[in-house]
Amino acid sequence: MLQIKNLTKIYDGGVQALDNVSFEVPDGEFLAVIGLSGSGKSTLLRCINRLIEPTSGQILWDGVDITAASQEEMRLVRRKIGMVFQHFNLVHRSKVITNVLSGRLGYVNPAWSLVNRFPKEDIEKAMRQLTRVGIVDKANQRADELSGGQQQRVGIARALMQDPRMILADEPVASLDPVLAHSIMSHLEDINKNDGVMVLCSLHFLDLVHRYAGRVVALNAGKLVFEGLPKDIDDKKFKEIYGRDAERVG
Amino acid sequence: MAATPNGWGSAMQTKPKTSLWKSARVGLVTLLGLVIFAYGFQITRVDLEELRSEKRQESLVRVTRALAQPDLLAYDQTEEVVNIPLYVPCRADGLLSAAPAHTGADPYLTLTPACAAPGETVRVEGFNFAPSTTGPVRFVPGGDINNNVTLGRDNADTDENGHFALDLTLPKRPSEEVQYIRATLRRNIGTPHLTQTARDTWEKIIETVFLALLATVFGTLLAIPISFIAARNLMKPVKSPLASISLSVLGWPVGIALGFLAFGWVEAFSARLGAALWVNLLVTILAPLAAVWGLRWAIPEEESNAPAPSLPSLRLARLGVIFLSALGVFLGLFQLASLLMSIGEAAQPALASFGFLGYFLFQIGDILALTATALGALAVGAALSSFLGRIGLRATEKMTPVGLKPLNLALAALAGATIFGLIGYLVERLYQPGNPFYTFWLPVALGAALGAALALFIKPKTALPIGMVIYTITRTILNALRSVEALVMAIVFVIAVGIGPFAGVMALGLHTIVSLAKLYSEQVESIASGPLEAIEATGANRLQTIIYAVIPQIVPPYISYTMYRWDINVRMSTIIGFVGGGGIGFLLQQNINLLNYRGASAQMLAIAIVVASMDYISSVLREKTL
């Protein structure tokens, strides 16, 4: 159970990205986060693993206050939270297998990382994850030789290496075409359904929300404006979320 | 959020105003630029009159011609030298100098007239010289037929009969004595061969290339770690509470002292083992093996759930094993050094012309023995500092603010006193004021007071931006050192290690460190932040983030900057010889001072070839690695 309580983030420049946001996510849920660009979706997801420090408010995960964790404790929390990014954020010049193995960095001893050494079990595990996302034949290629869809699958394999209990996906399909988008989303769905991993996924397209999400929260200018089931987003709600001038497409 | 309805209109209205102000500003800036340039002309004494003067042009042509003919190849030459005496001016008694007698086949000269006043022209003709030869025809002043000083610039070429004729203007050197005109006619024989200049140039350019190579390699190795602590994006998030910072500061000197003690003891023990080859060999192999075995046990590959094993006795045992392993590694290093030195010494005469390999081994062993203790002590300092820092962090998290305050106070005062005390020690060493009140007690008291004040005024749990402090200090030192030219550094190193290429290596190496560290750090600052974020999100610590997200991204720019730096170092090493730093600069300067422009030209040509091929090699390497 993830509980967000009165979460507020004001950036150094005075921009209020999150304004008193509160909601709860039960274990094993696929939650979609929607809203316009700049509405605070990315900030919200990054506050949960504290890549961005919230200004005030609490984030409780199974009763543990993430916002109060020390650096070392946060490291241990982070390795249970996988993250998937819009621009994949792979290390381009490294091999695919190295990118996947880096998901294991929170577990291995830092002293051995100095000499770029991973335990044998981890390497086998990485190959299994690559098999699962269907690109095991690319393991020894450089990450930037892969197409966008393949790179995102590497990103998912990297997140899976963490044995995550939660995955934060920040617009994972916004840089991909519709066919690839469905393939990536179905991987996330598979992880959610079969591994019981909680998924928080920000999305742009409502048809993807309807197809994959169990529940939706919507942000507008940092405020929570909707929380409920995807089918409950009617035209009135839609205009509340996306503004008066918005038109539904797709 | 939304634009104001009249936003566009108001922009239109204010437009003419800004444009007037703008053009006035442009005019002013242009005027200012003109004035600056006018002043610059006066300061730098731009004067084309000089360039037009005939004398300048003549010398310029002469030097340019010499530069266009680098002194690389030469023929062996045969030479025929013939002198003819004459009086300048003609004697009042009408006596003429007797032309030397010549037999039919010998070369000889004739003069018409046989004597003349200074400034007048005489016709010099030569007969019976070897055909197709060339050479100077000069006036020999002073009445000594063997005088090497000659005057004039005339040259003669013989025809196929070995005859030449030319008009020679006599210099203004009147004398009672008989003077001479000398024709020296030369002919190339055989095939061209390399001149001595070419050989010297070859030897020195090789020295230059290796000087630059060593300086670049050492400089690069040290610049890489420095560039990380001089990178803003890596250092800015580094924040730490006061207790942790203070303990880290204290950890450095204590750790270094302990390290010197421990490794000094290891060195002494290694010396006691003696220099017997088989003992060296055995220990060199066994000690590190044992150490690695110990380390593999003490540092498990994977942390299960807790960051560290919970049993205190196990943790202590592991720490102990790490310590023993470190001692083992250093014992191995010292033995290796001893081994290298004895092998090198034995191999140097045995290898004959490959003796430099033995020399290399010996020097490497020496460097190893010299630096191992210092590096080891630094490593212990770093380890202890980071260990104590972590304890400080833990204490800050666990303790209440009320209990933490006095602890902070004590630690910060101690740390401040340590820092200022060390600065005082440095001042004592540099300026020798010889007064312990000013160089010890006062700084220590001041440091303690500053530390205590810091602890008093901040909240005990605040994380201080220590990363930015380190960043700023590093940057300041780098900038200060970078502003000192390598040439000036070379002067210092020539005094420290003596004239020769080694001083050049040290000077260029130091300059390479500071300038590359700056360039590198700017590359680190401009890397894509996405991968950094992704690696951090996996729960990696700072060191792992650097290794897995930063280093792969900076490899290509680091390689190209390193190649560029090698190129710079080759060019710099050409002038480092001007102050005794070795390399081709020594020859170049010598030849320029002796007005031997053909020699200088050969050296410049060598530099140009090396720089051009460097550029080619580096572009090929870049292509391969990117």
Side-chain angles (χ1 to χ4, degrees):
Chain A
M1 170 82 94
L2 180 73
Q3 294 161 289
I4 313 278
K5 290 184 178 174
N6 307 82
L7 193 67
T8 298
K9 171 68 189 178
I10 302 169
Y11 283 107
D12 285 345
V15 178
Q16 180 142 27
L18 292 176
D19 188 358
N20 209 11
V21 173
S22 304
F23 61 93
E24 289 184 0
V25 193
D27 281 336
E29 186 170 67
F30 196 121
L31 179 82
V33 183
I34 60 171
L36 288 168
S37 296
S39 60
K41 302 189 297 288
S42 294
T43 308
L44 172 65
L45 293 181
R46 281 172 173 73
C47 279
I48 292 172
N49 64 358
R50 274 180 59 196
L51 285 179
I52 291 175
E53 287 292 333
T55 311
S56 67
Q58 272 190 321
I59 300 166
L60 300 174
W61 192 19
D62 294 342
V64 178
D65 188 355
I66 292 180
T67 43
S70 73
Q71 267 180 18
E72 192 55 30
E73 286 163 356
M74 198 57 226
R75 225 167 64 75
L76 300 182
V77 172
R78 273 183 189 158
R79 60 185 201 184
K80 285 290 174 192
I81 306 178
M83 192 155 187
V84 179
F85 301 84
Q86 177 184 358
H87 298 294
F88 326 134
N89 288 0
L90 302 182
V91 181
H92 281 187
R93 290 177 40 81
S94 296
K95 280 195 259 178
V96 166
I97 184 83
T98 313
N99 269 292
V100 176
L101 278 169
S102 65
R104 211 60 204 161
L105 287 174
Y107 293 89
V108 300
N109 194 313
W112 291 112
S113 302
L114 268 180
V115 288
N116 196 8
R117 223 190 112 89
F118 284 94
K120 215 159 67 194
E121 310 88 75
D122 282 353
I123 296 170
E124 284 162 7
K125 190 182 171 79
M127 294 309 275
R128 280 203 304 278
Q129 305 303 348
L130 282 174
T131 315
R132 181 170 177 183
V133 296
I135 44 169
V136 71
D137 53 322
K138 310 276 185 199
N140 284 313
Q141 283 188 17
R142 260 171 61 158
D144 56 359
E145 289 169 2
L146 269 54
S147 68
Q150 291 169 332
Q151 290 199 24
Q152 192 59 293
R153 287 190 231 177
V154 177
I156 291 176
R158 176 172 64 190
L160 284 174
M161 284 300 280
Q162 294 173 236
D163 294 328
R165 290 187 43 232
M166 183 201 303
I167 284 187
L168 304 172
D170 183 17
E171 294 182 17
V173 295
S175 317
L176 302 172
D177 65 49
V179 180
L180 283 173
H182 275 290
S183 124
I184 293 297
M185 289 307 293
S186 54
H187 278 301
L188 287 177
E189 187 181 38
D190 170 48
I191 295 162
N192 174 250
K193 293 264 147 59
N194 296 331
D195 304 10
V197 175
M198 179 197 299
V199 175
L200 275 72
C201 179
S202 62
L203 284 171
H204 270 311
F205 289 104
L206 279 180
D207 60 336
L208 290 177
V209 176
H210 285 292
R211 165 79 180 72
Y212 294 102
R215 217 157 55 90
V216 184
V217 294
L219 294 174
N220 190 342
K223 287 194 176 64
L224 192 75
V225 291
F226 175 81
E227 186 179 355
L229 299 175
K231 66 179 167 56
D232 293 342
I233 304 177
D234 52 20
D235 279 357
K236 185 164 163 285
K237 285 285 171 201
F238 181 82
K239 291 209 186 293
E240 264 174 48
I241 299 166
Y242 287 103
R244 272 183 298 135
D245 305 334
E247 296 259 345
R248 281 188 102 130
V249 288
Chain B
M1 278 286 149
T4 50
N6 62 344
W8 176 245
S10 63
M12 288 284 276
Q13 276 161 17
T14 52
K15 208 181 172 194
K17 241 190 216 166
T18 44
S19 97
L20 182 68
W21 163 235
K22 246 186 191 167
S23 42
R25 218 168 42 173
V26 168
L28 232 115
V29 168
T30 314
L31 204 68
L32 194 73
L34 269 177
V35 170
I36 288 173
F37 261 80
Y39 191 60
F41 263 56
Q42 198 205 338
I43 291 283
T44 56
R45 298 194 205 132
V46 174
D47 183 9
L48 294 184
E49 203 59 43
E50 275 285 312
L51 191 67
R52 280 194 216 113
S53 89
E54 205 167 299
K55 219 171 181 181
R56 290 262 167 217
Q57 286 188 349
E58 201 177 296
S59 335
L60 185 66
V61 167
R62 192 159 40 83
V63 172
T64 316
R65 275 190 192 144
L67 287 178
Q69 301 168 35
D71 184 11
L72 293 176
L73 293 174
Y75 290 91
D76 280 329
Q77 290 184 316
T78 55
E79 191 173 85
E80 289 170 315
V81 185
V82 179
N83 291 292
I84 181 164
L86 81 165
Y87 284 108
V88 180
C90 293
R91 281 172 70 115
D93 54 11
L95 182 69
L96 287 178
S97 52
H102 57 86
T103 56
D106 282 348
Y108 66 94
L109 298 174
T110 63
L111 281 179
T112 343
C115 71
E120 285 185 346
T121 304
V122 294
R123 186 167 186 79
V124 185
E125 277 189 88
F127 300 92
N128 288 351
F129 283 91
S132 309
T133 56
T134 182
V137 179
R138 299 283 149 89
F139 183 79
V140 186
D144 177 7
I145 196 166
N146 294 318
N147 192 353
N148 278 327
V149 179
T150 57
L151 301 173
R153 290 222 186 99
D154 299 278
N155 281 304
D157 301 294
T158 59
D159 58 20
E160 62 271 24
N161 302 321
H163 169 259
F164 73 86
L166 65 90
D167 292 324
L168 186 136
T169 306
L170 295 172
K172 299 197 167 76
R173 287 294 187 98
S175 171
E176 288 290 301
E177 284 179 275
V178 67
Q179 304 191 74
Y180 296 92
I181 283 175
R182 179 187 300 160
T184 313
L185 288 174
R186 306 186 179 113
R187 194 175 52 154
N188 296 337
I189 51 169
T191 49
H193 58 84
L194 288 174
T195 58
Q196 188 58 39
T197 312
R199 274 187 219 132
D200 293 346
T201 305
W202 171 253
E203 191 181 301
K204 285 289 175 187
I205 198 77
I206 294 294
E207 185 180 301
T208 306
V209 169
F210 279 96
L211 191 161
L213 178 71
L214 288 191
T216 313
V217 169
F218 291 140
T220 306
L221 286 181
L222 286 168
I224 289 173
I226 295 173
S227 71
F228 293 137
I229 58 172
R232 203 185 181 88
N233 57 342
L234 293 187
M235 294 307 278
K236 199 162 183 204
V238 178
K239 287 181 180 166
S240 205
L242 188 59
S244 169
I245 297 173
S246 307
L247 279 171
S248 299
V249 167
L250 290 173
W252 274 105
V254 176
I256 290 175
L258 282 179
F260 265 114
L261 208 70
F263 296 130
W265 181 80
V266 173
E267 192 176 7
F269 179 72
S270 168
R272 276 247 302 278
L273 282 179
L277 215 57
W278 65 270
V279 177
N280 281 175
L281 199 64
L282 209 66
V283 179
T284 306
I285 294 169
L286 286 185
L289 270 184
V292 167
W293 185 74
L295 283 177
R296 289 193 76 151
W297 177 78
I299 307 175
E301 279 191 330
E302 194 132 5
E303 299 173 353
S304 45
N305 280 317
S310 43
L311 280 171
S313 58
L314 183 64
R315 293 187 65 182
L316 267 182
R318 288 199 155 146
L319 272 181
V321 169
I322 291 176
F323 178 69
L324 283 180
S325 303
L327 290 187
V329 168
F330 274 85
L331 181 63
L333 276 180
F334 285 122
Q335 289 289 306
L336 180 67
S338 163
L339 184 71
L340 285 176
M341 283 168 81
S342 35
I343 292 179
E345 211 165 14
Q348 217 170 333
L351 284 173
S353 63
F354 282 97
F356 67 90
L357 287 175
Y359 180 76
F360 174 71
L361 283 185
F362 184 85
Q363 293 302 334
I364 288 287
D366 206 18
I367 290 171
L368 202 61
L370 259 178
T371 52
T373 315
L375 286 180
L378 274 179
V380 174
L384 192 66
S385 163
S386 115
F387 180 68
L388 288 180
R390 224 183 261 189
I391 288 180
L393 200 63
R394 280 274 177 85
T396 310
E397 281 162 9
K398 292 273 150 65
M399 288 168 81
T400 59
V402 183
L404 194 59
K405 196 103 183 176
L407 181 73
N408 266 355
L409 208 64
L411 287 177
L414 208 56
T418 310
I419 295 175
F420 277 68
L422 287 174
I423 295 176
Y425 176 74
L426 194 70
V427 170
E428 172 67 37
R429 290 301 298 251
L430 280 179
Y431 302 103
Q432 296 182 305
N435 186 341
F437 175 75
Y438 286 116
T439 58
F440 184 73
W441 295 112
L442 190 68
V444 163
L446 193 68
L450 281 177
L454 188 66
L456 269 182
F457 285 115
I458 62 159
K459 283 187 198 146
K461 292 204 173 188
T462 313
L464 300 175
I466 184 65
M468 284 311 283
V469 174
I470 296 174
Y471 162 84
T472 312
I473 293 174
T474 314
R475 274 282 161 132
T476 310
I477 295 175
L478 286 186
N479 285 337
L481 277 178
R482 205 159 43 86
S483 62
V484 179
E485 260 305 315
L487 205 61
V488 181
M489 290 181 182
I491 296 173
V492 177
F493 281 113
V494 162
I495 296 164
V497 300
I499 287 179
F502 186 49
V505 169
M506 302 282 276
L508 282 181
L510 183 60
H511 202 257
T512 304
I513 295 172
V514 292
S515 48
L516 271 188
K518 184 192 153 65
L519 288 175
Y520 284 170
S521 65
E522 269 148 29
Q523 283 309 310
V524 175
E525 284 170 6
S526 68
I527 59 171
S529 59
L532 217 65
E533 187 181 36
I535 300 287
E536 216 180 322
T538 64
N541 72 8
R542 188 145 290 280
L543 186 71
Q544 292 171 319
T545 311
I546 289 179
I547 291 171
Y548 285 93
V550 179
I551 289 183
Q553 291 197 61
I554 55 177
V555 166
Y558 271 38
I559 288 178
S560 58
Y561 274 129
T562 308
M563 296 304 291
Y564 178 55
R565 186 65 211 185
W566 189 15
D567 184 300
I568 290 179
N569 278 349
V570 169
R571 277 182 285 130
M572 288 248 257
S573 61
T574 59
I575 55 165
I576 213 103
F578 282 24
V579 293
I584 203 167
F586 173 68
L587 273 187
L588 185 61
Q589 188 205 24
Q590 205 178 34
N591 279 328
I592 290 174
N593 285 351
L594 292 172
L595 307 182
N596 179 7
Y597 292 111
R598 289 195 58 202
S601 172
Q603 276 110 48
M604 288 186 218
L605 188 70
I607 294 170
I609 289 173
V610 166
V611 171
S613 25
M614 279 288 316
D615 185 61
Y616 176 73
I617 294 170
S618 68
S619 71
V620 169
L621 275 182
R622 257 204 302 270
E623 204 176 26
K624 286 262 157 73
T625 49
L626 299 201

